[in-house]
Structure formats: structure tokens, C-alpha cells
Amino acid sequence: MDLHEYQAKELMRTAGVPIPPGRIARTAEEAEAIATEYGVPVMVKAQVHAGGRGKAGGVKYCKTAADAREKAQAILGMDIKGLTVEKVLVTEAADIASEAYVGIIVDRATKKAVFMVSAAGGIDIEEVAASTPEKILYLPVDPRYGLQSFEALRMGFFLYSDAKLARAAGKIMQQLYTAFVNAGCSLAEINPLVVTPNNELIAVDGKMVIDDNELDRRPDIAALRDESSEESSEVDARNANLTFIKLDGDVGCIVNGAGLAMATMDLVKHYGGDPANFLDIGGSSNPEKVVNALRIITSDPNVKCILFNIFGGITRTDDVANGIVTATKQNPLKVPIVIRLTGTNEEIAMKILQDNGFSASSDMDEAVQRAVALAKGGAA
Ligand code: GDP
Ligand code: MN
């Protein structure tokens, strides 16, 4: 689950990270009032779940309260990477002498939280990692002991030669680590961490992604979910207990099992197509899941073809077949459908599908190739 900048900053602030005061505005007038209250200059910042807001024009420096009103007016309603800006953060602006990057991610290889720090902050860290990897220090944290002071100090000195700054940065890393663990993050990031002309350190941008598996035991964090800024199909899927991730392609994939779903996407790519989504309907035999899956996938206008790929183990393929028949009776399909199923009750499933005018095969390669061709507008 993504958090907004203002939410991430609140959690970081609680852990002690120095963060300039700020408040949310939903109208230009509110933004002006906050600017007047805090005193200028202020930053007006779009709150959407997307990076690179600055480059997209969603982060503005405002010298007067009237300026804050105008900039907020321009940013509210703006489209950033397909997301509409509904609120802005109005926050005291910092004077910037330098910008560094401090981030923590969960690294599957070492099974640890890993710090990434770089003095080349502010810009895309992916770009730094690709072109000048020596500018990034990686430091895995042993979960048994947490981040040790000497490790924090080592990172501090990697960023700053000045001892006072290095120590202050080390302290911020420990605070960030605390916030990361407490909120159940898979990612926590300060970019940029700023040195002011007075040699003070402050976090002017904050980002957090929460591991969805942590939400059940953290109702306070789960309550921060903002469904209005999530992909509506993903909200729909979550409520229907489906594991779904929207992608940009045109082959809608309905698969049982996460492994098979990944393999299906790989094969779609292999044959020159592009998956429109990742979707795992799970291992249960529940025709309703198929109905929900079809509704969610067909609501995506990019989808040119639907590909079912079902391997029946615990999942009974006849249940899936019944789900397909029910769903398409409720909502007749506007795009072609390719069905591959094999395994438990395969003969019964094939019969159900044939009786209802569908064709199906048990060959995965063949089915994927057909789906890719159909999505491209070719013959089946
Ligand atoms: P992002 O583009 O979504 O990562 O948003 P950021 O909050 O990181 O802002 C982008 C850039 O705007 C930063 O790298 C800074 O250069 C600039 N910026 C952000 N906050 C401030 C501030 O308080 N003062 C000044 N002078 N510049 C800022
Ligand atoms: Mn940033």
C-alpha cells in the first residue's frame, strides 16, 4: 500500500526525523490560508501516489501567500501519470545547499532491510544506480540487532565529510529505520535529505510503501489507505479477494496460482504480446471469483483479448467453466476470449464450454499464441 507524502512524513516525524511543518489543502483558498499562517516562502506539493512530481510540475516554490493560492489552483486537478491531484501539501520551504538520498528497501536476496544512501540525491536514484553505482552505499541491517550506531555513522560519513553533519545524518537514519519497522514498510525513502545554508539537515520529501501483509496487525496504518487515489480496478479486486495488479498491455490474463500467472505473463511477452494485468484467482473452486475477475478485466478499455489459463489441482476446471458461462451471460463479452484449461474435471469443463459455444484447449503455448494474435487484431 502506498502512502502519500504527508502521511509518510507524519510517521517519520513521530520517529524524530526533522521535517518542516506542513498541512493539507483541498482548495486554493486553504493553501493561501496555510501559507499566511506559516509565513512564506512555502512549497505547494501535489499529493498523488507517483514519483517525479517535481518534473511533472506538481511541486512549486511560492514566495507569497497569493502565489501559493495561484500555484495550488494550478496543481489541484492536474493529471500526474494518470492520477488526478485532489489535495496539496503546503509546507514551509527550506533553503537548500545540497540534496542527498536515503532509502531503505526490503532485499529478498539477503532477506534483510537494506539502506541505500547517496550524496547524489534529489534526482532519480535509479539513474544514479545505473550510471554511477559507486555513488551509492548499500548497507543491509541485521533484523536481530537493528541499525547499529557505528553503521549509521558510517553511512553519515559516506554522505558528509563534516563530522557534525555525519552524526546528524546517522541519527536520522536510525529514526528512519524505526519508522520503517514500526509501520511495516517495504520501502521508506527521504529524497532529498537536505543540508540548509545553516548546516542543518531536514527531510523535504518522504515516501513510504507498506507491505500489505503487515496491514492486518496495524489497523492504524491500514486506516491511512486512500482508495480515491488508487487504481479503481485494484480496489475492486482487493474487495473481491483477488490478487490483481494492473499493467499497461492488452492481453487480459485470468490465471490460477501466482506462479502460473507469472509464467503466463512471461509467455505472453515471449510471443510478442503485452499482459494487461497480473491476476491470480487463487486455488479455490469458486465460480464467483471468475465472475469478478472477468468484470474487473473487461472494465479496462485497453484489453483486446482475454486469456484464461487454468491448471486444475484443487481448483476444479468445471467450476471455472461454469464461472465463465455465468459471467458472460451476465455481461456479454466485447472482446475475444481464449481458454486453456487442464487438470481436475477437464472433460466435464470442456463439455460445459462447448455446449455454451466456447472453444478451449489444453495446450498453454497454443493458447497464449492465439491470445497474442487476437489482441493484435489478427486471426485466431
Ligand atoms: P518529487 O519530485 O516527487 O520527488 O518531489 P520532491 O518533494 O522531492 O521535490 C522535487 C524537488 O523540488 C526537490 O528535489 C527540490 O529540489 C525541490 N524542493 C522540494 N522541497 C523544497 C523546499 O522546501 N525548498 C526548495 N528550495 N526546494 C524544494
Ligand atoms: Mn523526491
Side-chain angles (χ1 to χ4, degrees), residues 25-62:
R26 286 187 171 75
T27 65
E29 290 68 34
E30 273 171 39
E32 182 177 18
I34 298 169
T36 308
E37 183 189 324
Y38 286 158
V40 286
V42 294
M43 301 298 297
V44 172
K45 311 180 75 177
Q47 298 298 289
V48 283
H49 294 156
R53 295 164 305 161
K55 277 186 200 154
V59 175
K60 295 284 183 203
Y61 184 89
C62 311

Short mmCIF file of all heavy atoms in Angstrom, two decimals, residues 25-62:
data_model
loop_
_atom_site.label_atom_id
_atom_site.label_comp_id
_atom_site.label_asym_id
_atom_site.label_seq_id
_atom_site.Cartn_x
_atom_site.Cartn_y
_atom_site.Cartn_z
N ALA A 25 -4.16 20.96 1.96
CA ALA A 25 -5.21 21.86 1.46
C ALA A 25 -5.93 21.19 0.30
O ALA A 25 -5.30 20.52 -0.52
CB ALA A 25 -4.60 23.18 0.99
N ARG A 26 -7.25 21.36 0.28
CA ARG A 26 -8.05 20.79 -0.82
C ARG A 26 -8.53 21.89 -1.77
O ARG A 26 -9.09 21.61 -2.83
CB ARG A 26 -9.23 19.99 -0.28
CG ARG A 26 -8.80 18.66 0.31
CD ARG A 26 -9.99 17.79 0.70
NE ARG A 26 -9.53 16.45 1.05
CZ ARG A 26 -8.92 16.15 2.19
NH1 ARG A 26 -8.69 17.08 3.09
NH2 ARG A 26 -8.50 14.90 2.43
N THR A 27 -8.34 23.14 -1.35
CA THR A 27 -8.72 24.26 -2.23
C THR A 27 -7.58 25.28 -2.22
O THR A 27 -6.73 25.28 -1.32
CB THR A 27 -9.98 24.99 -1.72
OG1 THR A 27 -9.67 25.59 -0.45
CG2 THR A 27 -11.16 24.04 -1.54
N ALA A 28 -7.60 26.16 -3.23
CA ALA A 28 -6.57 27.19 -3.34
C ALA A 28 -6.64 28.14 -2.15
O ALA A 28 -5.61 28.60 -1.65
CB ALA A 28 -6.76 27.95 -4.66
N GLU A 29 -7.85 28.43 -1.67
CA GLU A 29 -8.02 29.35 -0.54
C GLU A 29 -7.39 28.76 0.72
O GLU A 29 -6.74 29.47 1.49
CB GLU A 29 -9.51 29.65 -0.29
CG GLU A 29 -10.17 30.50 -1.36
CD GLU A 29 -10.31 29.78 -2.71
OE1 GLU A 29 -10.51 28.54 -2.71
OE2 GLU A 29 -10.17 30.45 -3.77
N GLU A 30 -7.61 27.46 0.94
CA GLU A 30 -6.99 26.80 2.09
C GLU A 30 -5.47 26.89 2.01
O GLU A 30 -4.80 27.13 3.01
CB GLU A 30 -7.39 25.31 2.12
CG GLU A 30 -8.69 25.01 2.86
CD GLU A 30 -9.11 23.55 2.65
OE1 GLU A 30 -8.24 22.65 2.64
OE2 GLU A 30 -10.31 23.33 2.48
N ALA A 31 -4.94 26.71 0.80
CA ALA A 31 -3.50 26.77 0.61
C ALA A 31 -2.98 28.16 0.98
O ALA A 31 -1.96 28.31 1.66
CB ALA A 31 -3.13 26.42 -0.83
N GLU A 32 -3.70 29.17 0.56
CA GLU A 32 -3.31 30.55 0.87
C GLU A 32 -3.33 30.79 2.38
O GLU A 32 -2.39 31.38 2.95
CB GLU A 32 -4.25 31.54 0.17
CG GLU A 32 -3.85 33.00 0.42
CD GLU A 32 -4.75 33.98 -0.34
OE1 GLU A 32 -5.86 33.60 -0.76
OE2 GLU A 32 -4.31 35.14 -0.50
N ALA A 33 -4.38 30.29 3.04
CA ALA A 33 -4.51 30.48 4.49
C ALA A 33 -3.36 29.80 5.24
O ALA A 33 -2.80 30.37 6.19
CB ALA A 33 -5.86 29.94 4.97
N ILE A 34 -2.99 28.61 4.80
CA ILE A 34 -1.89 27.90 5.47
C ILE A 34 -0.58 28.66 5.26
O ILE A 34 0.22 28.83 6.19
CB ILE A 34 -1.77 26.44 4.94
CG1 ILE A 34 -3.06 25.66 5.25
CG2 ILE A 34 -0.56 25.74 5.57
CD1 ILE A 34 -3.15 24.32 4.56
N ALA A 35 -0.38 29.16 4.03
CA ALA A 35 0.84 29.93 3.74
C ALA A 35 0.91 31.17 4.62
O ALA A 35 1.98 31.53 5.13
CB ALA A 35 0.88 30.30 2.25
N THR A 36 -0.23 31.83 4.81
CA THR A 36 -0.27 33.03 5.65
C THR A 36 0.08 32.67 7.09
O THR A 36 0.85 33.37 7.76
CB THR A 36 -1.68 33.67 5.60
OG1 THR A 36 -2.03 33.85 4.23
CG2 THR A 36 -1.71 34.99 6.34
N GLU A 37 -0.47 31.55 7.55
CA GLU A 37 -0.24 31.12 8.92
C GLU A 37 1.24 30.76 9.16
O GLU A 37 1.83 31.20 10.15
CB GLU A 37 -1.14 29.92 9.22
CG GLU A 37 -1.04 29.40 10.65
CD GLU A 37 -1.78 28.09 10.82
OE1 GLU A 37 -2.85 27.92 10.18
OE2 GLU A 37 -1.30 27.24 11.57
N TYR A 38 1.82 29.99 8.24
CA TYR A 38 3.21 29.55 8.42
C TYR A 38 4.21 30.67 8.14
O TYR A 38 5.30 30.70 8.68
CB TYR A 38 3.54 28.37 7.51
CG TYR A 38 2.93 27.06 7.93
CD1 TYR A 38 2.74 26.03 7.01
CD2 TYR A 38 2.56 26.82 9.26
CE1 TYR A 38 2.18 24.82 7.38
CE2 TYR A 38 2.01 25.61 9.64
CZ TYR A 38 1.82 24.61 8.70
OH TYR A 38 1.28 23.42 9.08
N GLY A 39 3.86 31.55 7.23
CA GLY A 39 4.82 32.54 6.73
C GLY A 39 5.52 31.99 5.51
O GLY A 39 5.79 30.80 5.42
N VAL A 40 5.79 32.86 4.54
CA VAL A 40 6.39 32.42 3.27
C VAL A 40 7.92 32.49 3.38
O VAL A 40 8.43 33.17 4.29
CB VAL A 40 5.88 33.29 2.10
CG1 VAL A 40 4.46 32.90 1.77
CG2 VAL A 40 6.00 34.77 2.41
N PRO A 41 8.65 31.82 2.50
CA PRO A 41 8.16 31.01 1.37
C PRO A 41 7.62 29.65 1.82
O PRO A 41 8.02 29.13 2.85
CB PRO A 41 9.41 30.83 0.51
CG PRO A 41 10.54 30.89 1.47
CD PRO A 41 10.12 31.85 2.54
N VAL A 42 6.71 29.10 1.00
CA VAL A 42 6.22 27.75 1.22
C VAL A 42 6.34 26.94 -0.08
O VAL A 42 6.51 27.52 -1.16
CB VAL A 42 4.72 27.72 1.65
CG1 VAL A 42 4.52 28.34 3.02
CG2 VAL A 42 3.84 28.37 0.60
N MET A 43 6.27 25.62 0.09
CA MET A 43 6.16 24.73 -1.08
C MET A 43 4.72 24.28 -1.16
O MET A 43 4.09 23.99 -0.14
CB MET A 43 7.03 23.47 -0.90
CG MET A 43 8.51 23.71 -0.71
SD MET A 43 9.31 24.54 -2.09
CE MET A 43 9.08 23.34 -3.41
N VAL A 44 4.19 24.20 -2.39
CA VAL A 44 2.88 23.59 -2.61
C VAL A 44 3.14 22.32 -3.41
O VAL A 44 3.76 22.36 -4.48
CB VAL A 44 1.94 24.55 -3.37
CG1 VAL A 44 0.65 23.84 -3.77
CG2 VAL A 44 1.62 25.76 -2.50
N LYS A 45 2.70 21.18 -2.86
CA LYS A 45 3.10 19.88 -3.42
C LYS A 45 1.92 18.95 -3.65
O LYS A 45 1.17 18.64 -2.72
CB LYS A 45 4.10 19.21 -2.46
CG LYS A 45 5.24 20.14 -2.03
CD LYS A 45 6.21 19.45 -1.09
CE LYS A 45 7.10 18.48 -1.86
NZ LYS A 45 8.08 17.85 -0.94
N ALA A 46 1.78 18.49 -4.89
CA ALA A 46 0.72 17.55 -5.25
C ALA A 46 0.84 16.28 -4.42
O ALA A 46 1.94 15.72 -4.30
CB ALA A 46 0.82 17.21 -6.73
N GLN A 47 -0.27 15.79 -3.87
CA GLN A 47 -0.26 14.53 -3.13
C GLN A 47 -0.91 13.45 -3.98
O GLN A 47 -2.13 13.29 -4.00
CB GLN A 47 -0.98 14.70 -1.79
CG GLN A 47 -0.31 15.72 -0.87
CD GLN A 47 1.11 15.33 -0.49
OE1 GLN A 47 1.33 14.39 0.26
NE2 GLN A 47 2.10 16.05 -1.03
N VAL A 48 -0.08 12.76 -4.74
CA VAL A 48 -0.53 11.62 -5.55
C VAL A 48 0.48 10.50 -5.37
O VAL A 48 1.62 10.76 -4.98
CB VAL A 48 -0.64 11.95 -7.06
CG1 VAL A 48 -1.87 12.76 -7.36
CG2 VAL A 48 0.62 12.65 -7.55
N HIS A 49 0.03 9.27 -5.63
CA HIS A 49 0.94 8.13 -5.48
C HIS A 49 1.81 7.99 -6.73
O HIS A 49 1.67 7.05 -7.49
CB HIS A 49 0.14 6.84 -5.25
CG HIS A 49 -0.60 6.84 -3.95
ND1 HIS A 49 -1.71 6.07 -3.73
CD2 HIS A 49 -0.38 7.51 -2.80
CE1 HIS A 49 -2.15 6.28 -2.50
NE2 HIS A 49 -1.37 7.16 -1.91
N ALA A 50 2.70 8.95 -6.93
CA ALA A 50 3.60 8.89 -8.08
C ALA A 50 4.89 9.61 -7.73
O ALA A 50 4.87 10.60 -6.99
CB ALA A 50 2.95 9.54 -9.29
N GLY A 51 5.98 9.12 -8.25
CA GLY A 51 7.26 9.80 -8.07
C GLY A 51 7.43 10.85 -9.17
O GLY A 51 6.59 10.96 -10.06
N GLY A 52 8.50 11.62 -9.08
CA GLY A 52 8.79 12.60 -10.13
C GLY A 52 7.74 13.68 -10.25
O GLY A 52 7.50 14.21 -11.34
N ARG A 53 7.11 14.04 -9.12
CA ARG A 53 6.09 15.08 -9.18
C ARG A 53 6.70 16.41 -9.55
O ARG A 53 6.09 17.23 -10.23
CB ARG A 53 5.38 15.19 -7.82
CG ARG A 53 4.60 13.96 -7.42
CD ARG A 53 4.29 14.01 -5.95
NE ARG A 53 5.53 14.16 -5.17
CZ ARG A 53 5.59 14.58 -3.93
NH1 ARG A 53 4.49 14.90 -3.29
NH2 ARG A 53 6.76 14.68 -3.31
N GLY A 54 7.93 16.64 -9.07
CA GLY A 54 8.62 17.90 -9.35
C GLY A 54 8.74 18.12 -10.85
O GLY A 54 8.34 19.17 -11.37
N LYS A 55 9.24 17.10 -11.56
CA LYS A 55 9.43 17.20 -13.01
C LYS A 55 8.11 17.39 -13.72
O LYS A 55 8.03 18.02 -14.77
CB LYS A 55 10.11 15.94 -13.54
CG LYS A 55 11.62 15.96 -13.38
CD LYS A 55 12.24 14.74 -14.07
CE LYS A 55 13.63 14.48 -13.53
NZ LYS A 55 14.02 13.08 -13.66
N ALA A 56 7.03 16.84 -13.15
CA ALA A 56 5.71 16.93 -13.78
C ALA A 56 5.02 18.27 -13.47
O ALA A 56 3.89 18.50 -13.90
CB ALA A 56 4.83 15.77 -13.33
N GLY A 57 5.68 19.13 -12.71
CA GLY A 57 5.09 20.43 -12.40
C GLY A 57 4.19 20.42 -11.17
O GLY A 57 3.44 21.37 -10.92
N GLY A 58 4.29 19.36 -10.37
CA GLY A 58 3.42 19.24 -9.19
C GLY A 58 4.05 19.70 -7.89
O GLY A 58 3.48 19.50 -6.82
N VAL A 59 5.26 20.28 -7.96
CA VAL A 59 5.93 20.79 -6.75
C VAL A 59 6.40 22.21 -7.04
O VAL A 59 7.20 22.43 -7.94
CB VAL A 59 7.16 19.91 -6.38
CG1 VAL A 59 7.92 20.50 -5.20
CG2 VAL A 59 6.73 18.48 -6.06
N LYS A 60 5.85 23.19 -6.30
CA LYS A 60 6.17 24.59 -6.61
C LYS A 60 6.60 25.38 -5.37
O LYS A 60 6.03 25.23 -4.30
CB LYS A 60 4.95 25.27 -7.23
CG LYS A 60 4.53 24.71 -8.57
CD LYS A 60 5.44 25.16 -9.70
CE LYS A 60 4.94 24.63 -11.03
NZ LYS A 60 5.97 24.55 -12.05
N TYR A 61 7.57 26.23 -5.60
CA TYR A 61 8.09 27.14 -4.58
C TYR A 61 7.28 28.43 -4.66
O TYR A 61 7.11 29.00 -5.74
CB TYR A 61 9.56 27.41 -4.91
CG TYR A 61 10.32 28.26 -3.93
CD1 TYR A 61 10.96 27.68 -2.84
CD2 TYR A 61 10.43 29.64 -4.12
CE1 TYR A 61 11.68 28.45 -1.94
CE2 TYR A 61 11.15 30.43 -3.22
CZ TYR A 61 11.78 29.82 -2.14
OH TYR A 61 12.50 30.58 -1.25
N CYS A 62 6.75 28.90 -3.53
CA CYS A 62 5.87 30.07 -3.55
C CYS A 62 6.41 31.16 -2.63
O CYS A 62 6.61 30.93 -1.45
CB CYS A 62 4.46 29.69 -3.10
SG CYS A 62 3.80 28.25 -3.94
#
